[in-house]
């Protein structure tokens, strides 16, 4: 919807921006030294851009986002040249010390044991009768004075609520249910299993 509204209201044709976004210039994910190590970087203000320009030995880029946007691909290569020579920890520490927002890109499985997410109750344990017990994402926010837990029941099994919906909500009879099953319109398990 954003693309349609932007074009119909402002005449702007949005395009794919990859990791670039409107809130920071430059903004991206860059490889670091090591096996599949990456750092996410976002220069959100003039001071951060000046600091980043100094780190990549291009102080002439200055603070203005327009200059950075016009040369975005070239600058991404310069930043990549800088990050690939450093460990992700060194890159993050150096960038943050200079006022540039930076963070290690964490592999999805490692998020399950992330201390920040665990402490905030982001993961909720679901005990499913077929899939077993597993962690599931909760909401990334909490309401003051309300319980943090959002998941109150497990995902339904295949066809678990069919009878309830057809009879209780749609007013079908038990005889209708038998006919629908005989026709193959409803089932308690997927076709072919």
């Amino acid at each position: 919807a954003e693309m349609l509204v932007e074009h119909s209201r402002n005449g702007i044709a949005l395009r794919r921006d990859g990791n670039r976004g409107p809130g920071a210039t430059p903004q991206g994910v860059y490889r670091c030294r090591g096996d599949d190590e990456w750092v996410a970087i976002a220069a959100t203000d003039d001071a951060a851009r000046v600091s980043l320009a100094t780190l990549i030995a291009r102080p002439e880029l200055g603070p203005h986002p327009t200059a950075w946007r016009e040369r975005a691909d070239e600058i991404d290569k310069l930043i990549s040249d800088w990050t690939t020579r450093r460990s992700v920890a060194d890159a993050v520490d150096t960038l943050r010390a200079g006022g540039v927002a930076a963070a290690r890109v964490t592999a999805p499985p490692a998020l399950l044991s992330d201390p920040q997410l665990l402490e905030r109750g982001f993961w909720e344990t679901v005990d499913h009768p077929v899939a077993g017990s597993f962690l599931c994402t909760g909401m990334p926010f909490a309401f003051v004075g309300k319980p943090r837990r959002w998941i109150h029941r497990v995902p339904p099994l295949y066809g678990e609520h069919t009878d309830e919906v057809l009879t209780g909500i749609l007013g079908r009879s038990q005889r209708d249910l038998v006919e629908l099953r005989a026709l193959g319109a409803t089932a308690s398990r997927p076709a072919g299993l």
Side-chain angles (χ1 to χ4, degrees):
E2 180 185 359
M3 295 175 79
L4 296 173
V5 172
E6 190 67 47
H7 188 268
S8 64
R9 172 69 174 90
N10 301 317
I12 297 171
L14 294 178
R15 60 181 174 75
R16 292 180 183 185
D17 287 329
N19 290 315
R20 297 178 184 142
T25 303
Q27 176 176 303
V29 177
Y30 305 90
R31 182 179 285 280
C32 289
R33 189 176 68 224
D35 184 34
D36 202 24
E37 294 287 341
W38 298 79
V39 62
I41 300 172
T44 58
D45 58 25
D46 291 349
R49 280 183 284 279
V50 168
S51 179
L52 184 56
T54 302
L55 288 173
I56 63 172
R58 295 297 171 114
E60 72 277 5
L61 289 171
H64 304 293
T66 305
W68 289 77
R69 277 191 211 99
E70 289 171 354
R71 299 170 60 189
D73 290 338
E74 174 192 344
I75 292 169
D76 275 344
K77 288 177 185 168
L78 293 170
I79 296 170
S80 289
D81 289 343
W82 184 84
T83 60
T84 55
R85 294 191 312 263
R86 288 162 177 73
S87 69
V88 70
D90 177 48
V92 168
D93 290 346
T94 304
L95 288 160
R96 286 182 181 174
V100 181
R104 164 184 254 129
V105 175
T106 304
L111 293 173
L112 294 172
S113 58
D114 181 274
Q116 297 292 332
L117 295 175
L118 291 170
E119 179 63 28
R120 285 164 176 74
F122 180 76
W123 300 111
E124 295 187 30
T125 301
V126 174
D127 294 312
H128 193 273
V130 175
S133 183
F134 58 92
L135 292 178
C136 190
T137 57
M139 288 296 191
F141 57 87
F143 292 110
V144 175
K146 300 280 185 180
R148 172 77 182 167
R149 189 161 175 87
W150 284 87
I151 301 172
H152 298 288
R153 60 183 189 185
V154 299
L157 299 173
Y158 188 89
E160 180 179 356
H161 300 107
T162 301
D163 291 2
E164 177 186 340
V165 170
L166 290 174
T167 59
I169 297 173
L170 299 177
R172 297 295 189 147
S173 68
Q174 287 298 322
R175 183 177 173 174
D176 292 337
L177 294 180
V178 171
E179 288 178 20
L180 289 169
R181 281 194 194 95
L183 292 169
T186 65
S188 59
R189 46 191 281 189
L193 290 182

